[in-house]
Amino acid sequence: MRRIFSVLMENAPGALSRIMGVFSQRGYNVDSLCVAPTNDKSLSRLTIITEADDKVAEQILKQVNKLIDVLRVTELTGSAHVERELMLIKVATRTEVARAEVKRNVDIFRARVLDVTSQHYTMEITGTSDKLTAFADVMADCADITESARTGVCGLSRGDRALRP
Amino acid sequence: MKMMSGAAMVVEALKDVGVTHLFGYPGGAVLDIYDALFAQEHVKHILVRHEQGAAHMADGYARSTGKTGTVLVTSGPGATNTLTGIATAYMDSIPMVVLSGQVPTQLIGEDAFQETDMVGCSRPVVKHSFLVKRAVDIPKAIAQAYYIANSGRPGPVVVDLPKDIVNVQEEHLYEFPTDVTMRSYNPTLKGHGKQIKKTVSTLENAKRPVLYIGGGAIAADASDLVTELAEKLNAPVVSTLMGLGAFSSVHEQFLGMLGMHGTFEANKTMHNADCILALGARFDDRVTNNVDKFCPHADIIHVDIDPASISKTINAHIPVVGSVDEVVRQILAEMASHDFSDQDTKLTDWWEQINDWRSRQCLRYNQGDTTIKPQRVIESLYKHTNGDAYVSSDVGQHQMFAALYYPFAKPRRWINSGGLGTMGFGLPAAMGVQFAHPEACSVVVTGDGSIQMNIQELSTCLQYNLPVKIISLNNRALGMVRQWQDMIYKGRHSSSYMESMPDFVKLAEAYGHVGIKVDTLDELDGAMERCFAEKDRLVFMDIAVDQNEHVYPMQIKFGAMDDMRLSKTERT
Ligand SMILES: Cc1ncc(C[n+]2csc(CCOP(=O)(O)OP(=O)(O)O)c2C)c(N)n1
């Protein structure tokens, strides 16, 4: 089952490698990872996507929580939450038809064009991972994807629930 | 507040956290620290012969006292040589701080001479680590290292010290922190009230309870409390390899070690129990055998300070996060408002059954009249030390024989590498014990294979006059490997036989110690007596034992807890 874990940790050197260490050492897989300092610069917030059954998920929570640098860890999946991912995607458009088709889909998906040259469009799109994947699939149909980069998911609980120090 | 160099700060901080013994080995990156050590008398430095030995000595020191052991090594090879020792401590939750030298900060990452990423290398086997970047941070890093190492679930902590920050030329303000608490680290010590209530009502209803105790009971210094609880419940007690001594092995309610080489009665009792109270034990694979067949009738109450140990392998019905001492205290208090007055009658049938299992006398063995059986050596050792020695052990058959045939009446007397199973641990560990308890009898039970893994420390023993007693069960083979080869590989002894044993007596003598060789049964007791009469000397007892002896009982792979071989021919 797909899980989203949110981790609040000290913004300290080595902290991230310790968390990744837990995953590699204990054989848990990481599908995506998104990390940056929070509004409080002494803290970092990390969102990890992984596939895990209930038993493994419980171990991930406990093992990550055990790290000295980690203040809080929670699983977002399983309760109401919002999640978003950002993708930058560059496509090569060789024909007028292709260019029109790309622009049409940008509107449909509410993506944004960031850079245009005679041969290339670079776009950004935000949304759930599924939406990003769908957009990339459509782009592959109407143009050639030159390159793309995704941030990995980042998420928060809905309502007043929060991960605080 | 004083001005001092980074190196002096290291030593001052060690003094301020109360370190008296420092096991180490010098080298380029730590010469400044060595110079600072030279100028003082508070911290005694012990020069080892190999850095792995330093880590095991600090470990033996820690296990036998409960205090944190300390190691100081240089960068690169000095640091990497400690890794096995760090991992050994990590697996058994032993408090240890390793101070490692590092190349100067400006050279880090340049593959400088004797540079290794020690924080990275040690990451999977430490509780935490610090790479200190500024001299002024030294006191705080050291204070926090000791706090982390010896609180919550204890474990090793690495403090990596680049050479430029310990430079003796520059002075900084030394300020020892008054508060070492960290917002991200708050171990839970007290059990949750609701869980304690559930625990007590489950115990009250139990008809076939058992206490399953582990190293956590020793780490929490909870022996008296555990004993009080066991007696109030009139419950049988079994122990892991790591828990031996937490509950007296000569107590009537004690059934012995459980698990792979556990006693028949301990494993039977576990398998048939209706309630298992696990205190500071972690249901590891050397205990449970096949987890799918594990103790099918039992309600499992799991008390552990590390939430990650609970329901990791075996699902706990009642998880209780907390330290064994606090939780047992809470359980005892809660029991006062329940009726536990008639446990004797309540458990009559259970004890009758257990005593029947006991009557099988699973530790019986056949001595015969010439070749010495390893079990017999341990019994003789027990007799000649009045059962009151600190017994360190290496890893192999001899370790299991010591665990099974030397009943420990007190905690912190049995010092062995349970989790990692590190051959070479025994001698340096026994040395650490001897440093901590200069007047006590420190023994190491070892094998001809294991002793050679850190034999160089015999030289350290001479330097510091450590009268350690080495009881080497010489079976001219890697016995435990050979046993598995006998059982699983039709007796094909692939590389488990050592054709070139040294003359251990001469070797001991070459290092300046006493060596005694024992070949026959009739020499054994006399030799033991001579050994322990040498109060001030290290004695190496090279005892020829039966090469074909196996350790029994032994669980049968893929079976339940109580599926065991009881001898070469009998199984349950
Ligand atoms: C460092 C290390 N290497 C290998 C092993 C695997 N191993 C476990 S027991 C054993 C044999 C030990 O032989 P010895 O010390 O002579 O003890 P005996 O079993 O004969 O009593 C070996 C090789 C280990 N535990 N540790």
Side-chain angles (χ1 to χ4, degrees):
Chain A
M1 184 187 152
R2 175 179 179 267
R3 316 258 178 182
I4 308 178
F5 293 101
S6 231
V7 183
L8 196 64
M9 62 183 191
E10 294 289 352
N11 183 8
L16 180 61
S17 76
R18 275 190 255 269
I19 291 181
M20 288 303 97
V22 166
F23 277 77
S24 64
Q25 199 175 324
R26 296 185 185 269
Y28 315 141
N29 52 327
V30 178
D31 290 339
S32 88
L33 170 73
C34 172
V35 57
T38 65
N39 54 324
D40 173 352
K41 291 280 176 288
S42 69
L43 295 171
S44 276
R45 175 126 176 182
L46 190 86
T47 312
I48 304 171
I49 309 283
T50 178
E51 280 290 325
D53 61 20
D54 288 347
K55 198 173 167 79
V56 171
E58 184 183 335
Q59 270 296 306
I60 292 176
L61 274 176
K62 289 172 164 180
Q63 296 291 355
V64 171
N65 208 13
K66 193 166 142 179
L67 295 170
I68 307 288
D69 293 323
V70 170
L71 281 82
R72 297 265 179 281
V73 48
T74 186
E75 189 190 333
L76 291 181
T77 27
S79 64
H81 68 280
V82 287
E83 52 173 284
R84 285 292 177 273
E85 189 177 358
L86 171 78
M87 175 168 68
L88 299 179
I89 183 165
K90 183 187 294 174
V91 297
T93 47
R94 304 196 201 288
T95 65
E96 268 312 309
V97 180
R99 293 172 81 82
E101 194 59 8
V102 166
K103 275 176 71 180
R104 206 170 65 83
N105 281 304
V106 163
D107 291 341
I108 293 171
F109 279 86
R110 293 169 198 268
R112 239 160 43 95
V113 177
L114 299 178
D115 181 49
V116 188
T117 63
S118 60
Q119 293 285 311
H120 285 94
Y121 272 94
T122 302
M123 294 154 287
E124 75 166 76
I125 176 167
T126 330
T128 60
S129 304
D130 287 350
K131 178 178 164 184
L132 269 50
T133 305
F135 184 66
D137 288 348
V138 167
M139 284 299 123
D141 284 344
C142 57
D144 293 329
I145 297 176
T146 311
E147 62 173 341
S148 72
R150 294 170 70 149
T151 57
V153 170
C154 119
L156 293 178
S157 316
R158 285 186 186 272
D160 60 358
R161 292 183 54 208
L163 210 57
R164 290 198 198 88
Chain B
M1 265 174 267
K2 297 162 262 187
M3 294 296 288
M4 59 180 85
S5 72
M9 283 189 183
V10 172
V11 178
E12 192 71 13
L14 292 180
K15 195 181 116 194
D16 283 347
V17 289
V19 174
T20 51
H21 293 73
L22 176 58
F23 302 91
Y25 205 83
V30 288
L31 286 179
D32 286 328
I33 301 175
Y34 271 84
D35 195 56
L37 281 169
F38 192 74
Q40 54 84 50
E41 279 169 358
H42 300 281
V43 184
K44 179 182 161 83
H45 178 266
I46 292 117
L47 177 70
V48 302
R49 297 299 178 268
H50 186 300
E51 291 89 348
Q52 184 187 348
H56 293 327
M57 280 177 222
D59 184 321
Y61 177 92
R63 289 180 203 239
S64 69
T65 58
K67 294 193 245 173
T68 305
T70 309
V71 178
L72 171 63
V73 292
T74 192
S75 67
T80 54
N81 268 349
T82 63
L83 288 172
T84 302
I86 295 173
T88 304
Y90 180 73
M91 290 295 279
D92 291 343
S93 308
I94 304 303
M96 178 187 292
V97 170
V98 177
L99 306 168
S100 52
Q102 183 53 277
V103 300
T105 33
Q106 65 275 15
L107 292 186
I108 290 177
E110 296 190 354
D111 301 319
F113 177 63
Q114 296 197 326
E115 176 185 1
T116 50
D117 172 10
M118 182 54 179
V119 165
C121 287
S122 62
R123 198 204 61 226
V125 291
V126 294
K127 183 169 171 187
H128 196 57
S129 46
F130 296 88
L131 169 58
V132 189
K133 292 269 184 64
R134 299 183 313 166
V136 288
D137 295 335
I138 290 173
K140 187 165 174 214
I142 289 182
Q144 284 187 334
Y146 281 85
Y147 169 59
I148 292 168
N150 212 345
S151 56
R153 180 178 181 175
V157 177
V158 163
V159 182
D160 207 25
L161 298 162
K163 184 164 182 174
D164 53 321
I165 71 154
V166 297
N167 180 357
V168 283
Q169 314 300 338
E170 285 169 36
E171 297 210 324
H172 313 266
L173 195 65
Y174 176 86
E175 204 174 347
F176 190 75
T178 47
D179 180 20
V180 285
T181 53
M182 303 161 82
R183 63 177 172 180
S184 61
Y185 175 65
N186 301 293
T188 307
L189 301 179
K190 270 210 155 60
H192 195 288
K194 218 171 75 193
Q195 302 300 81
I196 303 287
K197 284 207 163 70
K198 274 199 216 164
T199 298
V200 172
S201 57
T202 306
L203 287 170
E204 192 176 17
N205 293 325
K207 295 194 176 62
R208 301 187 310 277
V210 58
L211 261 57
Y212 154 42
I213 60 173
I218 293 177
D221 287 320
S223 288
D224 292 347
L225 287 160
V226 170
T227 308
E228 187 183 338
L229 177 63
E231 288 177 350
K232 285 226 163 96
L233 292 171
N234 184 32
V237 178
V238 301
S239 170
T240 66
L241 180 65
M242 293 308 300
L244 292 174
F247 182 81
S248 172
S249 300
V250 292
H251 194 291
E252 185 53 31
Q253 284 165 243
F254 190 66
L255 307 184
M257 181 165 79
L258 84 167
M260 178 175 274
H261 289 297
T263 64
F264 180 69
E265 52 268 36
N267 286 350
K268 274 283 183 198
T269 299
M270 282 290 284
H271 187 78
N272 292 284
D274 66 354
C275 169
I276 295 173
L277 174 57
L279 298 170
R282 59 188 179 92
F283 297 85
D284 86 296
D285 54 295
R286 283 298 194 261
V287 160
T288 58
N289 212 5
N290 185 343
V291 289
D292 296 329
K293 297 182 183 168
F294 181 76
C295 303
H297 320 290
D299 282 327
I300 294 173
I301 308 163
H302 192 173
V303 179
D304 203 290
I305 198 160
D306 179 6
S309 282
I310 299 178
S311 299
K312 181 170 63 182
T313 57
I314 298 288
N315 211 40
H317 303 97
I318 308 178
V320 188
V321 178
S323 75
V324 174
D325 57 334
E326 286 288 352
V327 172
V328 171
R329 218 175 270 127
Q330 287 173 285
I331 293 174
L332 286 166
E334 176 65 23
M335 278 169 67
S337 54
H338 289 248
D339 186 13
F340 283 92
S341 58
D342 201 15
Q343 289 294 102
D344 284 0
T345 342
K346 217 164 96 192
L347 303 185
T348 311
D349 291 352
W350 185 221
W351 274 109
E352 210 163 279
Q353 171 67 77
I354 292 168
N355 286 328
D356 188 46
W357 289 325
R358 269 178 165 168
S359 67
R360 184 125 185 194
Q361 296 188 312
C362 67
L363 297 180
R364 249 179 315 124
Y365 64 96
N366 227 336
Q367 171 47 63
D369 21 81
T370 44
T371 330
I372 305 169
K373 294 286 184 183
Q375 299 94 322
R376 177 73 176 73
V377 177
I378 306 297
E379 286 174 349
S380 174
L381 174 66
Y382 184 78
K383 207 170 72 193
H384 286 91
T385 54
N386 301 316
D388 202 29
Y390 286 85
V391 179
S392 302
S393 160
D394 264 307
V395 172
Q397 289 183 316
H398 60 271
Q399 174 188 26
M400 292 302 133
F401 287 130
L404 291 168
Y405 292 86
Y406 196 110
F408 293 91
K410 297 177 191 159
R412 302 197 180 281
R413 294 297 170 113
W414 168 238
I415 314 287
N416 89 126
S417 167
L420 197 67
T422 309
M423 288 172 70
F425 172 80
L427 173 60
M431 293 164 64
V433 169
Q434 193 78 79
F435 276 112
H437 310 274
E439 304 304 323
C441 175
S442 178
V443 176
V444 47
V445 173
T446 184
D448 44 82
S450 295
I451 190 64
Q452 295 190 71
M453 284 213 180
N454 268 318
I455 192 103
Q456 76 286 346
E457 298 307 329
L458 284 175
S459 171
T460 313
C461 288
L462 186 71
Q463 181 171 352
Y464 296 95
N465 288 319
L466 300 179
V468 169
K469 304 292 181 277
I470 299 172
I471 309 298
S472 181
L473 307 188
N474 188 344
N475 53 10
R476 283 117 12 242
L478 300 176
M480 190 55 97
V481 171
R482 188 180 159 101
Q483 171 167 348
W484 285 50
Q485 290 170 336
D486 284 340
M487 295 169 72
I488 305 167
Y489 302 95
K490 303 199 175 81
R492 291 194 295 273
H493 297 149
S494 172
S495 293
S496 62
Y497 181 78
M498 293 188 165
E499 278 100 356
S500 49
M501 275 312 151
D503 180 333
F504 286 108
V505 169
K506 276 197 195 144
L507 191 111
E509 288 169 0
Y511 274 110
H513 305 299
V514 180
I516 299 177
K517 187 151 175 39
V518 184
D519 285 314
T520 59
L521 185 61
D522 53 359
E523 299 168 345
L524 179 63
D525 285 315
M528 278 283 183
E529 210 168 310
R530 262 192 295 144
C531 168
F532 288 99
E534 291 278 4
K535 292 267 178 266
D536 305 324
R537 302 282 302 274
L538 181 147
V539 182
F540 192 122
M541 295 270 282
D542 178 22
I543 306 171
V545 295
D546 187 350
Q547 189 174 45
N548 295 314
E549 194 62 16
H550 286 179
V551 181
Y552 293 108
M554 184 170 180
Q555 281 173 336
I556 297 165
K557 215 174 163 194
F558 307 123
M561 276 241 45
D562 64 341
D563 289 325
M564 282 169 276
R565 290 175 208 270
L566 294 170
S567 71
K568 283 185 182 167
T569 51
E570 303 158 275
R571 20 161 89 203
T572 48

